[in-house]
Amino acid sequence: MSHTPKYPPDGGYPTATGYPAAGSLTQGWFAVSDPGYIKGALLGAGLTYILTNQKVQRALVKGVVTVWTAVQGGIEEVKEQIHDVKAEMSMKGDADKT
């Protein structure tokens, strides 16, 4: 019985299932044919573009402010309608009492 460790010919490290196949490290990190890899690369490129381009940043902020202003206006409109309904109910209640 020999105590000399057995190393794979490609110099890989052992895993729970044995030694990885040759080239599996590059397939895991640079799996260009994997759709998830391509999606991640495109997402990273898009975020980098957004975070570094001043014109895109300004356009995004302007769009967010426009949407936020519209949401706030819609909320104020709903509040006003609720106030109107309450006033009508109060007036109707006062008219019923007399």
Side-chain angles (χ1 to χ4, degrees):
M1 187 157 115
S2 172
H3 293 294
T4 306
K6 295 180 182 179
Y7 295 104
D10 64 353
Y13 294 98
T15 64
T17 60
Y19 291 100
S24 67
L25 177 65
T26 57
Q27 289 174 355
W29 281 91
F30 303 106
V32 180
S33 61
D34 182 18
Y37 179 84
I38 295 170
K39 289 176 189 175
L42 290 173
L43 181 64
L47 286 174
T48 302
Y49 179 73
I50 289 169
L51 293 174
T52 58
N53 189 318
Q54 292 291 329
K55 287 183 179 181
V56 174
Q57 288 175 356
R58 285 188 192 118
L60 281 174
V61 169
K62 186 177 180 180
V64 168
V65 167
T66 302
V67 168
W68 181 250
T69 302
V71 168
Q72 284 181 326
I75 290 171
E76 290 301 319
E77 182 66 28
V78 169
K79 286 181 181 179
E80 186 177 323
Q81 288 176 358
I82 291 172
H83 180 70
D84 291 346
V85 168
K86 284 182 180 180
E88 287 176 12
M89 291 174 65
S90 175
M91 290 175 60
K92 185 177 181 183
D94 290 343
D96 290 342
K97 288 181 184 177
T98 57

